[in-house]
């Protein structure tokens, strides 16, 4: 499979990802990222049988609650094997 889409979190979503849920006070929550950015792009990748590249560079960091509330929930909902088949991560920053 080839990479046909790239999601750059810091440019398309936020340089300061926040908490797990929107109700926790951050408009840049994992819940919002999952619903508005990650899941729609992921579902297109599955339907089109291609890979979605997620670029992690440029953000101040990723709270574990954000990662769990977005990528973790996607993995639970769609299964880890399908997520790992259609998503790759890229980061050149330490």
């Amino acid at each position: 499979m080839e990479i046909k889409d790239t999601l750059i979190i810091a440019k398309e979503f936020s340089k300061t990802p926040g908490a797990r849920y929107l109700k926790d006070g951050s408009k840049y929550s994992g819940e919002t990222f999952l619903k508005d950015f990650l899941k729609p792009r992921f579902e297109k990748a599955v339907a089109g049988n291609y890979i979605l590249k997620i670029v992690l560079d440029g953000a101040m960091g990723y709270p574990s609650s954000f990662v769990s509330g977005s990528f973790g929930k996607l993995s639970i909902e769609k299964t880890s094997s399908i997520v790992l088949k259609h998503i790759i991560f890229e980061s050149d920053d330490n």
Side-chain angles (χ1 to χ4, degrees), residues 55-66:
V55 178
L56 301 171
D57 295 336
M60 298 296 291
Y62 292 92
S64 59
S65 57
F66 175 87

Side-chain angles (χ1 to χ4, degrees), residues 65-76:
S65 57
F66 175 87
V67 173
S68 175
S70 56
F71 296 105
K73 286 200 176 227
L74 182 68
S75 178
I76 290 168

Side-chain angles (χ1 to χ4, degrees), residues 23-58:
K23 70 179 182 179
D24 293 333
S26 171
K27 68 179 183 176
Y28 299 119
S29 67
E31 176 183 29
T32 301
F33 177 69
L34 173 63
K35 181 177 70 99
D36 296 342
F37 292 85
L38 179 59
K39 194 171 179 183
R41 304 271 282 272
F42 173 77
E43 288 175 343
K44 285 181 183 177
V46 172
N49 198 33
Y50 61 83
I51 295 172
L52 169 64
K53 178 167 67 172
I54 307 289
V55 178
L56 301 171
D57 295 336

